[in-house]
Each structure stands twice: as structure tokens, then as C-alpha cells.
Amino acid sequence: MDEIRKNQIIILKMPDGTSIDGTILDYEKDRVSILVDESSYSSATNIAELDYLDVVVHTHCGIKKMKSHVISALDGRNCILIENNPSEMYPQKREYARVVDDFNFKLIYNNSEYYAKCINISAGGIAFSAKDCVFNTGEKILLIFSKEIFLKEIKIMAEIIKVHDDFFVAKYENLNMYDENKIVQRVFKLLVQK
């Protein structure tokens, strides 16, 4: 699973329906080390090598799932080692975790500058309000996020995908990896604070 990171919450689901909660202690391309929560310790003692698991991980990109097998059962450190396999591909309405936010930003449309307020944000797009703007679905705008919020000024082309009075939703276009990481860091920080 490419989205896997240290300290993410992980749930291991056994074929009998038992769930084991844990935290990702470490990971490599082919394996994941999981620190089992104390509340799941007794269930985790029943896991054996080669057991089949359904795995759910709360990643910075939303909830991801994979199928896995146990490499090594519960050890003296309360850890389980499982295979790191690709994420399951399944259709979902939202690709990225979205979080409520309220920073102000600028946008440029038809060579005019406007001010807007974020309502919620994700690594894929933004919902915002702008009282002095009139957009139609499909129109392109340039979003400018300030250095004070994201530690560097971010300029992103976006397409308006939803319009309702002074409420708009825009989907980013061609967002580079560095700027996406800055947005994901803010989203994750806000999610952790909840």
C-alpha cells in the first residue's frame, strides 16, 4: 500500500469477524509492523502465521483497504508483522480526506483578482465562498494560497465543478507533488486536532 505511513491507525479483520486495532510502527515495501492496542491484545494472541486478513488503514488520503497475510504472529513487543500489498481498487465518491477550514485566499478569474474564504479543503479540491464572484460550472480559475498558511505561496489552476449562490467547489488541475504535500500536511494537521 503506497499510502501507508508510520503512526497511522490500522484495523486487522480476521475471517471470523474479529477486529484487531493497532498503529503502524514501521513499514517497508513488502511488510508492515503493527503495534497492537492493549484493548485488542487478547484477540491478537489468536493470530498465527499465514492467517488471512482484511486490512483497513486510515491514511492521509482517506481510508484504504488491502488483503494481507500474517508474516509473524504477536511477539514480545506486542507487534504483528503482515504483508504490505497494493490497495484495493474500488469506486468511491471522494478520493481525498476533506476537512473544514476557514482561511482567506485570493483567486484570479478573467484577469481580475477576488478574495474568497475556504469552507473545506482536500488534496483534490476546495469548497469556498466568494460574494463578489459569479462562476459557471466548467470555468477555470487560478487559486493563490498564502505563504502564512502553507509555508510557501501556492498557485493552482482549478475548475469550478459546483455552484450554489456564493458557494463554489473547485477541483485542482495539474497540482504538483510538492504543493499537494503542503495541502495534505494542513489537512492532516486539522484532522489530528479534531
Side-chain angles (χ1 to χ4, degrees):
M1 182 182 292
D2 292 335
E3 302 88 357
I4 215 158
R5 301 289 184 271
K6 289 182 180 181
N7 300 319
Q8 289 173 337
I9 296 169
I10 189 166
I11 301 168
L12 308 177
K13 295 184 178 180
M14 302 286 288
D16 67 0
T18 305
S19 289
I20 297 164
D21 297 337
T23 306
I24 296 174
L25 194 59
D26 203 1
Y27 66 96
E28 294 179 25
K29 185 174 178 139
D30 64 340
R31 62 192 63 213
V32 180
S33 178
I34 300 158
L35 178 63
V36 175
D37 285 352
E38 288 181 22
S39 62
S40 296
Y41 180 77
S42 61
S43 299
T45 58
N46 298 323
I47 287 186
E49 287 184 24
L50 302 179
D51 278 352
Y52 174 80
L53 304 169
D54 285 318
V55 180
V56 178
V57 184
H58 295 262
T59 75
H60 61 287
C61 297
I63 294 174
K64 299 291 180 178
K65 298 180 180 180
M66 71 176 172
K67 306 285 187 194
S68 185
H69 285 92
V70 176
I71 296 174
S72 63
L74 193 68
D75 64 16
R77 300 178 307 145
N78 292 344
C79 292
I80 296 173
L81 193 62
I82 66 169
E83 296 173 327
N84 188 4
N85 291 321
S87 301
E88 287 182 9
M89 299 304 269
Y90 60 94
Q92 57 181 3
K93 188 172 181 181
R94 190 174 310 274
E95 183 178 356
Y96 302 101
R98 183 171 291 275
V99 66
V100 172
D101 205 342
D102 64 353
F103 64 89
N104 295 315
F105 65 96
K106 291 189 284 189
L107 64 89
I108 296 176
Y109 172 69
N110 283 343
N111 296 321
S112 296
E113 189 175 282
Y114 300 92
Y115 291 91
K117 185 174 187 82
C118 175
I119 295 171
N120 62 53
I121 189 168
S122 76
I126 186 170
F128 63 95
S129 63
K131 296 185 190 278
D132 300 327
C133 302
V134 178
F135 301 118
N136 294 309
T137 304
E139 292 182 317
K140 310 286 186 191
I141 59 174
L142 176 65
L143 307 173
I144 303 170
F145 300 153
S146 75
K147 182 178 180 179
E148 289 75 26
I149 303 294
F150 292 94
L151 305 178
K152 76 175 281 285
E153 185 177 77
I154 298 175
K155 294 183 178 181
I156 311 167
M157 286 304 298
E159 178 182 350
I160 300 293
I161 60 171
K162 187 175 182 182
V163 175
H164 183 68
D165 297 328
D166 64 347
F167 172 83
F168 306 95
V169 177
K171 182 178 179 182
Y172 308 138
E173 294 186 341
N174 301 321
L175 181 62
N176 68 55
M177 187 182 298
Y178 184 78
D179 290 344
E180 181 179 352
N181 286 340
K182 289 292 182 190
I183 293 170
V184 167
Q185 285 172 3
R186 180 165 179 86
V187 168
F188 186 70
K189 180 181 174 185
L190 291 170
L191 283 171
V192 169
Q193 290 174 358
K194 287 187 171 188

